Short mmCIF file of all heavy atoms in Angstrom, two decimals:
data_model
loop_
_atom_site.label_atom_id
_atom_site.label_comp_id
_atom_site.label_asym_id
_atom_site.label_seq_id
_atom_site.Cartn_x
_atom_site.Cartn_y
_atom_site.Cartn_z
N ALA H 199 77.53 91.58 39.26
CA ALA H 199 78.23 92.62 38.41
C ALA H 199 77.82 93.99 39.02
O ALA H 199 78.68 94.90 39.21
CB ALA H 199 77.83 92.40 36.94
N THR H 200 76.62 94.28 39.24
CA THR H 200 76.17 95.56 39.73
C THR H 200 76.80 95.88 41.06
O THR H 200 77.20 96.99 41.37
CB THR H 200 74.53 95.69 39.74
OG1 THR H 200 74.16 95.43 38.32
CG2 THR H 200 74.18 97.04 40.10
N GLU H 201 76.56 94.93 42.00
CA GLU H 201 77.10 95.13 43.37
C GLU H 201 78.63 95.32 43.31
O GLU H 201 79.13 96.20 44.05
CB GLU H 201 76.81 93.90 44.25
CG GLU H 201 75.28 93.80 44.50
CD GLU H 201 74.42 93.16 43.45
OE1 GLU H 201 75.03 92.77 42.41
OE2 GLU H 201 73.18 93.14 43.39
N SER H 202 79.29 94.56 42.53
CA SER H 202 80.66 94.69 42.52
C SER H 202 81.18 96.10 41.91
O SER H 202 82.12 96.67 42.38
CB SER H 202 81.33 93.71 41.60
OG SER H 202 81.08 92.25 42.22
N GLU H 203 80.43 96.53 40.98
CA GLU H 203 80.72 97.86 40.45
C GLU H 203 80.50 98.93 41.50
O GLU H 203 81.35 99.86 41.69
CB GLU H 203 79.72 98.10 39.22
CG GLU H 203 79.93 99.56 38.61
CD GLU H 203 78.82 99.75 37.61
OE1 GLU H 203 78.11 98.87 37.17
OE2 GLU H 203 78.68 100.90 37.13
N VAL H 204 79.49 98.85 42.23
CA VAL H 204 79.22 99.78 43.34
C VAL H 204 80.32 99.85 44.29
O VAL H 204 80.79 100.87 44.80
CB VAL H 204 77.78 99.59 44.00
CG1 VAL H 204 77.72 100.48 45.27
CG2 VAL H 204 76.74 99.78 43.00
N PHE H 205 80.63 98.67 44.83
CA PHE H 205 81.72 98.47 45.69
C PHE H 205 83.01 98.99 45.31
O PHE H 205 83.89 99.73 45.96
CB PHE H 205 81.88 97.06 46.32
CG PHE H 205 80.70 96.63 47.24
CD1 PHE H 205 80.07 95.43 46.89
CD2 PHE H 205 80.36 97.27 48.27
CE1 PHE H 205 79.10 95.02 47.80
CE2 PHE H 205 79.32 96.88 49.14
CZ PHE H 205 78.64 95.72 48.86
N ALA H 206 83.34 98.71 44.10
CA ALA H 206 84.68 99.07 43.50
C ALA H 206 84.78 100.61 43.26
O ALA H 206 85.68 101.23 43.64
CB ALA H 206 84.85 98.37 42.07
N MET H 207 83.66 101.22 42.85
CA MET H 207 83.67 102.56 42.73
C MET H 207 83.71 103.38 44.08
O MET H 207 84.40 104.45 44.19
CB MET H 207 82.39 103.10 42.01
CG MET H 207 82.47 102.64 40.48
SD MET H 207 83.90 103.40 39.53
CE MET H 207 83.61 105.07 39.70
N MET H 208 83.17 102.77 45.07
CA MET H 208 83.15 103.33 46.40
C MET H 208 84.63 103.30 46.92
O MET H 208 85.00 104.38 47.46
CB MET H 208 82.21 102.58 47.31
CG MET H 208 82.31 103.11 48.72
SD MET H 208 81.00 102.27 49.91
CE MET H 208 79.55 102.96 49.23
N LEU H 209 85.26 102.25 46.74
CA LEU H 209 86.72 102.12 47.17
C LEU H 209 87.59 103.07 46.42
O LEU H 209 88.47 103.72 46.96
CB LEU H 209 87.22 100.60 47.07
CG LEU H 209 86.50 99.63 47.96
CD1 LEU H 209 86.96 98.31 47.67
CD2 LEU H 209 86.66 99.86 49.40
N ILE H 210 87.34 103.18 45.21
CA ILE H 210 88.20 103.96 44.25
C ILE H 210 88.02 105.47 44.67
O ILE H 210 88.94 106.29 44.75
CB ILE H 210 87.86 103.78 42.78
CG1 ILE H 210 88.32 102.42 42.34
CG2 ILE H 210 88.40 104.85 41.93
CD1 ILE H 210 87.80 102.09 40.93
N LYS H 211 86.80 105.81 45.01
CA LYS H 211 86.57 107.23 45.41
C LYS H 211 87.14 107.49 46.73
O LYS H 211 87.59 108.66 47.05
CB LYS H 211 85.03 107.48 45.50
CG LYS H 211 84.39 107.58 44.07
CD LYS H 211 82.87 107.90 44.12
CE LYS H 211 82.26 108.04 42.77
NZ LYS H 211 80.79 108.26 42.88
N LEU H 212 87.17 106.44 47.64
CA LEU H 212 87.90 106.65 48.96
C LEU H 212 89.35 106.78 48.70
O LEU H 212 89.94 107.72 49.42
CB LEU H 212 87.58 105.34 49.84
CG LEU H 212 86.34 105.31 50.58
CD1 LEU H 212 86.22 103.99 51.24
CD2 LEU H 212 86.20 106.37 51.59
N ILE H 213 89.91 106.11 47.75
CA ILE H 213 91.36 106.27 47.55
C ILE H 213 91.66 107.68 46.96
O ILE H 213 92.69 108.26 47.41
CB ILE H 213 91.88 105.12 46.59
CG1 ILE H 213 91.88 103.82 47.22
CG2 ILE H 213 93.30 105.52 45.99
CD1 ILE H 213 92.24 102.70 46.28
N SER H 214 90.76 108.13 46.06
CA SER H 214 91.14 109.39 45.43
C SER H 214 90.81 110.60 46.38
O SER H 214 91.16 111.70 45.95
CB SER H 214 90.33 109.57 44.09
OG SER H 214 88.88 109.59 44.40
N GLY H 215 90.14 110.31 47.40
CA GLY H 215 89.72 111.37 48.38
C GLY H 215 88.41 112.11 48.07
O GLY H 215 88.08 113.05 48.70
N GLU H 216 87.68 111.56 47.02
CA GLU H 216 86.45 112.17 46.67
C GLU H 216 85.37 111.93 47.74
O GLU H 216 84.52 112.74 48.02
CB GLU H 216 85.91 111.62 45.33
CG GLU H 216 86.86 111.95 44.13
CD GLU H 216 86.29 111.44 42.78
OE1 GLU H 216 85.06 111.22 42.79
OE2 GLU H 216 87.16 111.25 41.97
N GLU H 217 85.36 110.70 48.35
CA GLU H 217 84.43 110.45 49.38
C GLU H 217 85.04 110.63 50.82
O GLU H 217 85.47 109.63 51.45
CB GLU H 217 83.70 109.12 49.27
CG GLU H 217 82.84 109.01 48.12
CD GLU H 217 81.91 107.79 48.19
OE1 GLU H 217 81.98 107.06 49.20
OE2 GLU H 217 81.03 107.53 47.37
N SER H 218 85.22 111.87 51.23
CA SER H 218 85.93 112.03 52.55
C SER H 218 84.94 112.14 53.68
O SER H 218 85.30 112.45 54.70
CB SER H 218 86.71 113.29 52.41
OG SER H 218 85.94 114.40 52.02
N ALA H 219 83.52 112.04 53.31
CA ALA H 219 82.52 112.17 54.36
C ALA H 219 81.53 111.00 54.33
O ALA H 219 81.39 110.37 53.21
CB ALA H 219 81.79 113.51 54.13
N THR H 220 81.07 110.64 55.53
CA THR H 220 80.13 109.47 55.54
C THR H 220 78.70 109.92 55.20
O THR H 220 78.52 111.15 54.93
CB THR H 220 80.16 108.92 56.98
OG1 THR H 220 79.84 109.95 57.95
CG2 THR H 220 81.56 108.42 57.27
N SER H 221 77.74 109.07 55.35
CA SER H 221 76.34 109.42 54.90
C SER H 221 75.89 110.45 55.93
O SER H 221 74.86 111.19 55.45
CB SER H 221 75.53 108.11 55.05
OG SER H 221 75.54 107.50 56.27
N ASP H 222 76.26 110.50 57.11
CA ASP H 222 75.77 111.63 58.03
C ASP H 222 76.57 112.82 58.04
O ASP H 222 76.24 113.73 58.77
CB ASP H 222 75.72 110.91 59.58
CG ASP H 222 77.17 110.61 59.99
OD1 ASP H 222 78.00 110.68 59.13
OD2 ASP H 222 77.25 110.18 61.12
N GLY H 223 77.45 113.07 57.15
CA GLY H 223 78.19 114.18 56.95
C GLY H 223 79.53 114.43 57.73
O GLY H 223 80.39 115.26 57.55
N SER H 224 79.72 113.33 58.58
CA SER H 224 80.95 113.44 59.27
C SER H 224 82.17 112.98 58.54
O SER H 224 82.05 112.25 57.56
CB SER H 224 80.90 112.51 60.56
OG SER H 224 80.69 111.16 60.26
N ARG H 225 83.38 113.44 58.88
CA ARG H 225 84.56 113.16 58.14
C ARG H 225 84.99 111.71 58.28
O ARG H 225 85.08 111.20 59.52
CB ARG H 225 85.73 114.14 58.52
CG ARG H 225 87.02 113.96 57.54
CD ARG H 225 87.97 115.04 57.85
NE ARG H 225 89.07 114.92 57.09
CZ ARG H 225 89.14 115.40 55.81
NH1 ARG H 225 88.06 115.96 55.29
NH2 ARG H 225 90.18 115.25 55.08
N ARG H 226 85.35 111.01 57.25
CA ARG H 226 85.91 109.67 57.42
C ARG H 226 87.26 109.60 58.04
O ARG H 226 88.12 110.47 57.75
CB ARG H 226 86.01 108.94 56.09
CG ARG H 226 84.73 108.80 55.38
CD ARG H 226 84.91 108.10 54.08
NE ARG H 226 83.62 107.87 53.25
CZ ARG H 226 82.76 107.03 53.38
NH1 ARG H 226 82.89 106.02 54.32
NH2 ARG H 226 81.59 106.82 52.64
N PRO H 227 87.59 108.65 58.89
CA PRO H 227 88.81 108.49 59.41
C PRO H 227 89.85 108.12 58.40
O PRO H 227 89.48 107.55 57.40
CB PRO H 227 88.70 107.43 60.57
CG PRO H 227 87.53 106.67 60.16
CD PRO H 227 86.61 107.58 59.37
N SER H 228 91.15 108.49 58.57
CA SER H 228 92.21 108.21 57.65
C SER H 228 92.39 106.75 57.49
O SER H 228 92.85 106.26 56.36
CB SER H 228 93.49 108.97 58.03
OG SER H 228 93.90 108.46 59.33
N TRP H 229 92.18 105.91 58.53
CA TRP H 229 92.44 104.53 58.38
C TRP H 229 91.47 103.80 57.49
O TRP H 229 91.70 102.73 56.93
CB TRP H 229 92.46 103.86 59.77
CG TRP H 229 91.25 104.10 60.56
CD1 TRP H 229 91.08 104.93 61.63
CD2 TRP H 229 89.93 103.42 60.46
NE1 TRP H 229 89.85 104.96 62.16
CE2 TRP H 229 89.14 104.06 61.61
CE3 TRP H 229 89.38 102.50 59.70
CZ2 TRP H 229 87.81 103.61 61.68
CZ3 TRP H 229 88.00 102.08 59.91
CH2 TRP H 229 87.32 102.63 60.93
N MET H 230 90.28 104.43 57.24
CA MET H 230 89.33 103.90 56.29
C MET H 230 89.90 103.95 54.83
O MET H 230 89.65 103.09 54.10
CB MET H 230 88.02 104.63 56.40
CG MET H 230 86.86 104.02 55.69
SD MET H 230 85.29 104.66 56.04
CE MET H 230 84.18 103.79 55.01
N ARG H 231 90.56 105.05 54.60
CA ARG H 231 91.25 105.12 53.28
C ARG H 231 92.25 104.17 53.12
O ARG H 231 92.51 103.58 52.04
CB ARG H 231 91.77 106.53 53.05
CG ARG H 231 92.23 106.93 51.68
CD ARG H 231 92.75 108.30 51.64
NE ARG H 231 93.09 108.72 50.25
CZ ARG H 231 93.81 109.62 49.94
NH1 ARG H 231 94.46 110.39 50.89
NH2 ARG H 231 94.12 109.98 48.59
N VAL H 232 93.05 103.90 54.16
CA VAL H 232 94.14 102.88 54.10
C VAL H 232 93.48 101.41 53.86
O VAL H 232 94.01 100.68 53.07
CB VAL H 232 94.97 102.95 55.44
CG1 VAL H 232 95.91 101.77 55.41
CG2 VAL H 232 95.62 104.31 55.57
N LEU H 233 92.35 101.16 54.51
CA LEU H 233 91.68 99.88 54.28
C LEU H 233 91.30 99.70 52.77
O LEU H 233 91.49 98.64 52.18
CB LEU H 233 90.51 99.75 55.25
CG LEU H 233 90.81 99.44 56.67
CD1 LEU H 233 89.50 99.45 57.51
CD2 LEU H 233 91.50 98.06 56.97
N ALA H 234 90.80 100.74 52.33
CA ALA H 234 90.35 100.70 50.97
C ALA H 234 91.51 100.47 49.98
O ALA H 234 91.53 99.64 48.97
CB ALA H 234 89.60 102.02 50.55
N THR H 235 92.67 101.12 50.24
CA THR H 235 93.80 101.00 49.45
C THR H 235 94.37 99.50 49.63
O THR H 235 94.92 98.96 48.59
CB THR H 235 94.87 101.98 49.82
OG1 THR H 235 94.25 103.25 49.81
CG2 THR H 235 95.98 102.08 48.78
N GLU H 236 94.44 99.00 50.73
CA GLU H 236 94.85 97.58 50.81
C GLU H 236 93.99 96.61 50.06
O GLU H 236 94.49 95.61 49.55
CB GLU H 236 94.91 97.29 52.37
CG GLU H 236 95.98 98.00 53.13
CD GLU H 236 95.90 97.57 54.64
OE1 GLU H 236 94.92 97.01 55.13
OE2 GLU H 236 97.01 97.84 55.28
N VAL H 237 92.70 96.88 50.08
CA VAL H 237 91.80 95.99 49.28
C VAL H 237 92.17 96.12 47.80
O VAL H 237 92.22 95.20 47.05
CB VAL H 237 90.32 96.37 49.58
CG1 VAL H 237 89.50 95.62 48.51
CG2 VAL H 237 89.94 95.99 50.92
#
Side-chain angles (χ1 to χ4, degrees):
T200 302
E201 291 78 8
S202 297
E203 177 185 351
V204 172
F205 287 130
M207 290 303 297
M208 178 177 289
L209 295 176
I210 291 171
K211 290 180 180 180
L212 279 173
I213 290 177
S214 64
E216 296 181 23
E217 287 201 1
S218 58
T220 59
S221 57
D222 59 358
S224 59
R225 186 171 182 81
R226 294 184 185 274
S228 59
W229 52 260
M230 191 170 181
R231 191 185 186 197
V232 172
L233 285 176
T235 311
E236 289 180 344
V237 170

